[in-house]
Amino acid sequence: QVQLVESGGGLVQAGGSLRLTCVVSRSIFSINAMGWYRQAPGKQRELVATLTSGGITNYADSVKGRFSISRDSAENTVYLQMNSLNAEDTAVYYCRSDAERLSRRYVFWGQGTQVTVSS
């Protein structure tokens, strides 16, 4: 298993910033990619940003230029820096790990952290 623990969510005013943190437990799995997803009330979970083990990033169009995904390999931590937040960014944010072991692929999720942006 790969355990993911998110933190850093909270209440922020529109235009403000937050940084989410996802601590990844060390395990026997190889991590191919890490990502942040979000789910707003009544909506499906959607991709926010991903970061491959090779350093390639991908962002949803709605967050490009405002959000940034990064990692600290030494600390086994992935971050999501969120700037210029608006009410549409309100959601539960989940950390996701795409892992692999013995040629089998796995997906692990964190428990989520709430981000609320007040307008």
Side-chain angles (χ1 to χ4, degrees), residues 20-90:
L20 304 183
T21 299
C22 175
V23 178
V24 185
S25 66
R26 299 187 185 277
S27 74
I28 58 176
F29 291 83
S30 298
I31 305 299
N32 292 330
M34 295 294 301
W36 287 96
Y37 290 69
R38 67 187 181 187
Q39 187 167 17
K43 295 187 177 181
Q44 290 188 334
R45 191 172 297 188
E46 63 176 4
L47 178 149
V48 175
T50 59
L51 174 62
T52 71
S53 58
I56 297 172
T57 58
N58 181 48
Y59 295 94
D61 288 343
S62 60
V63 307
K64 282 180 181 176
R66 300 189 299 123
F67 290 13
S68 177
I69 186 171
S70 62
R71 67 185 174 201
D72 182 336
S73 298
E75 298 294 328
N76 250 28
T77 302
V78 177
Y79 302 100
L80 183 68
Q81 178 66 42
M82 305 186 294
N83 300 324
S84 301
L85 286 161
N86 56 59
E88 288 68 40
D89 297 317
T90 295

